[in-house]
Amino acid sequence: MRMVAGYEGGKALAVIKYSEKVLEHFRNPKNIGMIEDADGQSTVGSPACGDQVSMFLKIREDRITDIKFLSYGCASNIATGSIITEMAKGKSLNEAKAITWKNAVDELGGLPPVKIHCSVLAIDGLRAAIQDYEEKTTGIKQERKVDEMMILDELKKVIYPKNGINIVDTNMIRYLSFEEGVITIEISIEETDLFKQNVLEEIDEHLEVLPGVKKIEIKVVEY
Amino acid sequence: MIYLDHYRTTPVLEAVVKKMTPFLREAYFLPESFTKRGTEAAEVIDQSNRVLLDAFNIEDGEVVYTSGGTASNNIVISGVLRDVDLREAHIVCTVIDHPSIVNTYEYYRKKGASVTFLKVDGNGLIDPEELRKHIQTKTVLISLTHTNHTIGAIQPLEQLLPIIKEQNPKTRIHIDATMSLNAMALDLSQLPIDFLTFSGHKIYGPKGVGAIVFRKSGPLKPILFGTVTTSPFSPGAENIPGIVGLSEALRIATAQREAYLHKMRPLQERTIKRIESEIPDVVLNGPRPHPEGNLHTFSVKRAIDNINFSFRYVEGESIMMFLDFEDIIVATGSACASSDLKVNYVLSAIGRDHEMAHGSLRITPGWGNDEEQIDQMIDRLKPIVSRLRAQSTLR
């Protein structure tokens, strides 16, 4: 029931510890709450996968003047929400959009690899809230047509907990196609990999929400 | 510190440390034939064996010492299956057994054995008729965890075991009693148990030692090889300080059971009563303790020292950490707090959805706790839960 990191051959199992900064943001999160008359807002994640984050933005002249968040999640989820809202406050929309998951993790003094999923969610939430605002103000739905590039972009949000790098850059995606609503993916991951199920579920979560996707077929290959 | 995680591990009793210490220092010898000190060491193991066999009321039994509950379960399962043709073998456990059983069964399923993982009801209990259906002529082994490590559900062995023997007298019965022994006696003269396994550190004994108690006729085959001095099933140097500590801890647990029950009962009652009346949207996981239940019979369905609650709309790792900041130690079934981010399988098996399992706390009192500590824990828990709920996206 306690947190133990994934086993790496030859290395002893390490007990996960949060940095002081993570603990501080978890204990006393900044910008927690909601904004009733938000200009842009989002809710990402789901209770079923363990975390959910809501973001609320007040925007004046393309600048974030106020930002708040709510979190159903673990310490790293709450801490990342706190740090990201701090980082985004006062920034222009373009600057805020450029904040990456890595920026946030660095700012927090690092996060255990297994906790990356929770921290990516807050970034997704910020971007989705900005998009919500932009769509509302321009009246233009920023919906890109789903294509293989877009699927690849989504897969880049799935982090492989063992190395903290997304599954695309970890070179785990061996094949990808999108035809008549069916996404077919071949992913290279070992049968015994501790994170296999976790990675597969996350791929599903990211892809099933894309418009026009009827079916996701994931084949696990071991090469 | 308020320690409420005794299902994880317990401190070693002073009396046990005292008993062990000489065997770390002056009496550090290993069993050996013909020498004075070597035979003395062998006698120490014999005496420990006697304590274990007495505790389980079995005259003609064998004892194997291991490195703990996990090793005991592995040695039994693999030892029974060693010379069996796996393609012809059927083995049975439940979906909520301890990982040292479930994962070992899963390994043998992959190796070709036919395996039944028995389902449990919403309280974590096996349906006797379901069990009857699944014991076949080729069922060689059944493993059952007597007291569940997460929700404290107690399988009614006096009802279940005769069914197994009726269906197939040759099926070997393995009971993991690791979580039971502080509160309950298991009488092997009454119960047809072939292998009983347990661990030292859950009964206020040392870590790194456990045991298997079984009938002489048991069909166990060794799976570890080396120098055999006292038992073919545990070759190599004997952990004599650990063995002495284990048997002393079991002797004390057996002698103190009555006192333990009387100590735990008000702690469990108070925890459940206060949480249910003072914190909204909570669900007790596992069977409800029977208010009039006779503590000495198997009609009790929930362990006296286990409390497990789900707190809706909040995640358990956060609650656990906030309590930890206050030096109050509990455990959670949240996926966030597990190494593989998987939701707790016991809570899933009793029908709790992901959200409910994420928000679960396991509170397990022990000898060191009193009602005042329970009150302090709940007084701290209340604002933590309301605060996390106030900042939650849910509700």
Side-chain angles (χ1 to χ4, degrees):
Chain A
M1 286 208 149
R2 284 290 194 271
M3 303 172 287
V4 178
Y7 178 76
E8 304 268 331
K11 250 194 266 170
L13 284 169
V15 171
I16 296 178
K17 222 179 123 181
Y18 286 124
S19 72
E20 279 304 315
K21 191 117 185 233
V22 173
L23 291 178
E24 178 49 34
H25 277 273
F26 166 58
R27 286 176 97 135
N28 301 303
K30 303 271 170 41
N31 312 311
I32 198 99
M34 56 194 298
I35 300 174
E36 292 291 345
D37 56 342
D39 298 318
Q41 74 176 71
S42 71
T43 296
V44 294
S46 76
C49 61
D51 316 89
Q52 193 169 50
V53 172
S54 295
M55 285 274 173
F56 307 87
L57 304 176
K58 281 305 272 183
I59 292 161
R60 289 287 165 275
E61 291 168 3
D62 275 356
R63 200 161 280 279
I64 298 175
T65 53
D66 197 11
I67 177 165
K68 289 215 180 317
F69 80 103
L70 292 173
S71 156
Y72 164 79
C74 61
S76 56
N77 185 281
I78 294 170
T80 331
S82 172
I83 200 90
I84 281 171
T85 50
E86 278 293 276
M87 290 164 81
K89 201 186 249 178
K91 293 247 170 34
S92 73
L93 293 184
N94 281 338
E95 285 165 346
K97 275 192 263 188
I99 298 173
T100 66
W101 161 80
K102 180 116 185 3
N103 299 147
V105 172
D106 287 349
E107 194 69 25
L108 282 171
L111 266 183
V114 71
K115 289 292 183 176
I116 280 157
H117 160 88
C118 332
S119 54
V120 172
L121 206 56
I123 288 281
D124 282 355
L126 174 63
R127 290 182 185 163
I130 294 173
Q131 191 180 330
D132 175 55
Y133 165 77
E134 287 177 340
E135 283 176 8
K136 273 191 212 154
T137 47
T138 59
I140 301 166
K141 273 259 177 222
Q142 295 178 345
E143 232 154 59
R144 268 169 67 188
K145 206 170 148 283
V146 177
D147 57 14
E148 278 148 21
M149 268 320 287
M150 185 166 175
I151 293 167
L152 210 56
D153 281 348
E154 282 301 311
L155 292 176
K156 280 188 183 173
K157 293 181 187 164
V158 179
I159 307 287
Y160 184 51
K162 268 192 190 166
N163 60 9
I165 300 169
N166 71 66
I167 56 173
V168 176
D169 292 334
T170 306
N171 207 14
M172 294 165 79
I173 303 299
R174 294 300 150 89
Y175 175 78
L176 171 65
S177 74
F178 181 57
E179 276 169 30
E180 290 168 19
V182 181
I183 300 177
T184 308
I185 294 171
E186 282 186 14
I187 177 166
S188 167
I189 188 164
E190 275 181 38
E191 203 53 52
T192 53
D193 195 298
L194 195 60
F195 298 104
K196 186 184 133 212
Q197 212 45 41
N198 188 243
V199 167
L200 298 187
E201 278 168 23
E202 239 182 280
I203 293 176
D204 265 335
E205 265 168 42
H206 278 275
L207 299 186
E208 71 194 6
V209 293
L210 295 178
V213 172
K214 293 190 208 112
K215 205 172 161 198
I216 304 161
E217 286 185 345
I218 307 178
K219 279 185 208 143
V220 173
V221 294
E222 291 201 27
Y223 59 86
Chain B
M1 177 183 69
I2 299 177
Y3 184 76
L4 289 164
D5 199 10
H6 292 82
Y7 267 41
R8 173 123 181 109
T9 195
T10 60
V12 184
L13 291 176
E14 190 65 44
V16 173
V17 174
K18 259 200 187 125
K19 191 98 179 180
M20 289 170 70
T21 310
F23 296 96
L24 291 160
R25 303 283 297 164
E26 56 268 26
Y28 53 84
F29 312 101
L30 283 173
E32 192 184 14
S33 305
F34 311 122
T35 66
K36 200 165 63 186
R37 291 188 177 82
T39 48
E40 274 170 14
E43 275 163 25
V44 169
I45 293 181
D46 274 348
Q47 284 159 15
S48 288
N49 290 354
R50 206 58 259 162
V51 171
L52 267 61
L53 296 174
D54 282 351
F56 299 110
N57 199 16
I58 172 172
E59 194 56 46
D60 192 24
E62 267 191 61
V63 174
V64 177
Y65 297 101
T66 68
S67 66
T70 292
S72 294
N73 288 340
N74 272 269
I75 292 170
V76 167
I77 299 165
S78 291
V80 169
L81 295 177
R82 195 193 80 173
D83 292 348
V84 170
D85 179 356
L86 289 180
R87 285 160 305 180
E88 294 299 312
H90 174 241
I91 53 180
V92 181
C93 70
T94 78
V95 287
I96 62 164
D97 278 313
H98 190 264
S100 56
I101 294 173
V102 173
N103 294 352
T104 311
Y105 270 58
E106 178 58 16
Y107 167 78
Y108 283 106
R109 190 186 64 78
K110 285 186 181 154
K111 295 289 264 184
S114 122
V115 180
T116 300
F117 293 99
L118 287 172
K119 290 195 175 58
V120 293
D121 68 13
N123 281 327
L125 299 169
I126 309 169
D127 175 0
E129 289 317 305
E130 190 66 16
L131 173 69
R132 187 187 299 280
K133 272 197 305 206
H134 282 103
I135 304 296
Q136 314 160 0
T137 45
K138 33 180 250 183
T139 309
V140 292
L141 178 68
I142 177 165
S143 296
L144 296 175
T145 309
H146 181 219
T147 301
N148 182 265
H149 55 290
T150 304
I151 52 171
I154 300 169
Q155 303 301 341
L157 299 183
E158 85 291 2
Q159 187 190 358
L160 300 177
L161 303 193
I163 295 177
I164 300 167
K165 287 292 174 190
E166 258 168 51
Q167 288 299 103
N168 183 351
K170 283 187 180 153
T171 301
R172 299 297 169 175
I173 299 175
H174 162 212
I175 301 298
D176 179 349
T178 300
M179 296 321 315
S180 303
L181 300 175
N182 289 317
M184 279 174 289
L186 283 167
D187 184 346
L188 265 59
S189 74
Q190 300 297 315
L191 293 165
I193 295 171
D194 294 294
F195 304 98
L196 184 141
T197 53
F198 69 103
S199 173
H201 76 114
K202 309 278 195 196
I203 54 169
Y204 301 85
K207 294 169 184 46
V209 64
I212 308 165
V213 174
F214 65 105
R215 292 168 204 282
K216 275 236 161 85
S217 54
L220 204 61
K221 297 280 191 296
I223 59 158
L224 302 171
F225 304 95
T227 310
V228 173
T229 323
T230 49
S231 165
F233 306 105
S234 53
E238 286 80 4
N239 172 9
I240 293 193
I243 290 167
V244 169
L246 177 79
S247 61
E248 182 65 0
L250 181 64
R251 192 189 64 74
I252 294 172
T254 307
Q256 296 289 315
R257 253 173 215 140
E258 194 80 14
Y260 186 80
L261 296 176
H262 282 101
K263 169 122 192 163
M264 289 306 124
R265 180 167 228 188
L267 300 187
Q268 184 185 51
E269 271 177 10
R270 188 159 186 86
T271 310
I272 294 177
K273 190 164 168 246
R274 279 203 64 191
I275 290 181
E276 288 189 331
S277 62
E278 295 175 37
I279 304 180
D281 298 318
V282 298
V283 178
L284 180 71
N285 295 315
R288 189 163 288 278
H290 195 288
E292 309 299 330
N294 179 349
L295 295 171
H296 302 283
T297 71
F298 287 111
S299 64
V300 179
K301 291 191 170 69
R302 184 182 196 110
I304 196 82
D305 45 15
N306 177 294
I307 300 131
N308 193 312
F309 270 105
S310 284
F311 299 82
R312 277 195 174 279
Y313 317 120
V314 287
E315 187 279 316
E317 187 202 277
S318 294
I319 310 178
M320 180 182 81
M321 283 180 61
F322 269 116
L323 285 173
D324 187 59
F325 291 148
E326 313 265 347
D327 239 2
I328 300 171
I329 320 295
V330 298
T332 176
S334 169
C336 302
S338 70
S339 58
D340 53 4
L341 298 181
K342 273 192 202 130
V343 73
N344 182 281
Y345 70 100
V346 175
L347 296 172
S348 297
I350 61 166
R352 298 288 180 263
D353 60 23
H354 282 213
E355 185 211 324
M356 290 289 266
H358 284 315
S360 75
L361 281 196
R362 185 185 68 180
I363 301 162
T364 48
W367 277 118
N369 302 121
D370 54 26
E371 287 193 50
E372 198 181 313
Q373 291 189 332
I374 294 292
D375 281 343
Q376 279 182 41
M377 180 271 293
I378 294 169
D379 290 344
R380 289 307 308 133
L381 179 63
K382 281 162 62 180
I384 291 170
V385 172
S386 11
R387 179 193 165 167
L388 287 168
R389 280 180 177 168
Q391 61 186 52
S392 170
T393 55
L394 301 178
R395 87 183 224 142

